[in-house]
Amino acid sequence: MTFIYLTLGCLLLVASSLLLRTANSASRWLSLVVFCIATACFIAVYGNIAGVFIAVPTALLIGLLTAFLLGKKTSKQ
């Protein structure tokens, strides 16, 4: 079961990265959801101790995604 969770978590992280490569709003939201599911897979495997180490980069990435989603669009001149 551990192997399944780790494989699923890694595949979801790759999918999240690929979704961020496209710049539309729907793919960014979907990327955030996929990343949260991947984080849940890793926490399920490693428990609460690793959850602390995963929570810090997760919070940073969620802040980055929030900046992407709610930031102002610049117009090219």
Side-chain angles (χ1 to χ4, degrees):
M1 196 67 179
T2 302
F3 178 74
I4 294 171
Y5 278 135
L6 287 177
T7 305
L8 181 64
C10 290
L11 290 175
L12 287 173
L13 285 177
V14 170
S16 177
S17 299
L18 292 175
L19 283 170
L20 279 177
R21 294 181 71 108
T22 59
N24 60 11
S25 180
S27 69
R28 290 186 205 148
W29 281 109
L30 186 60
S31 174
L32 178 63
V33 170
V34 169
F35 183 78
C36 290
I37 294 170
T39 303
C41 289
F42 287 122
I43 290 174
V45 170
Y46 293 117
N48 294 331
I49 295 171
V52 172
F53 294 108
I54 293 173
V56 173
T58 301
L60 292 173
L61 186 64
I62 288 173
L64 179 66
L65 287 174
T66 303
F68 278 139
L69 291 172
L70 302 177
K72 291 182 181 180
K73 292 187 178 187
T74 58
S75 59
K76 293 183 180 179
Q77 293 182 6

